[in-house]
Amino acid sequence: MLAAGLHVGAPQKVSVALGLQRAIKESTPAAQQLVFGLVEPGLGAGRASIGYGSFGDFGAGFTVRGSVLRTFSKPRNVAPNQTFVGLEGAGHFFLFNVRAGAFRRTSTGTGSATLYTIDWGLLF
């Protein structure tokens, strides 16, 4: 099944997530566990993620994911043209979510080798 979302935050500024998800356990039509893969190009950075989610009534739930993040020419709050790998978690309610992550730079570069992210979004 198709997965899509819109996020606003640092360092990507604004991004659109597109990918696939698959239910791995469904106890009711509203309650399910799933796995997903996403690509998320944005204005300041882009990421690719694979993860797991658990959702119940009203879309309330959480996701955890491993991600690779690449900053572009003008990211928010971090130096440009760097690659990071990390873990992210998100809390969801209905169509809304808040996501936070911790990343580590994959090579030498300017600025801190650790990147913390936070953003909010809409899921479709």
Side-chain angles (χ1 to χ4, degrees):
M1 181 185 320
L2 183 65
L6 173 69
H7 290 96
V8 176
Q12 79 277 2
K13 298 180 183 176
V14 175
S15 62
V16 175
L18 297 170
L20 297 173
Q21 63 186 12
R22 178 172 181 185
I24 56 174
K25 182 178 180 185
E26 197 168 329
S27 40
T28 70
Q32 62 181 341
Q33 296 175 16
L34 53 88
V35 293
F36 59 89
L38 299 168
V39 293
E40 188 175 341
L43 297 178
R47 59 169 53 97
S49 306
I50 57 170
Y52 165 83
S54 180
F55 295 90
D57 294 334
F58 302 108
F62 69 93
T63 58
V64 292
R65 67 184 81 187
S67 297
V68 175
L69 183 141
R70 175 72 181 176
T71 60
F72 302 142
S73 63
K74 295 182 182 179
R76 182 177 291 153
N77 299 334
V78 67
N81 304 315
Q82 298 185 85
T83 302
F84 296 84
V85 295
L87 296 174
E88 299 179 281
H92 301 264
F93 183 74
F94 193 51
L95 296 177
F96 303 98
N97 72 50
V98 175
R99 175 175 63 181
F103 291 83
R104 191 79 176 155
R105 191 174 51 227
T106 60
S107 62
T108 59
T110 58
S112 175
T114 303
L115 172 65
Y116 298 100
T117 63
I118 189 163
D119 57 41
W120 64 271
L122 297 172
L123 300 177
F124 307 107

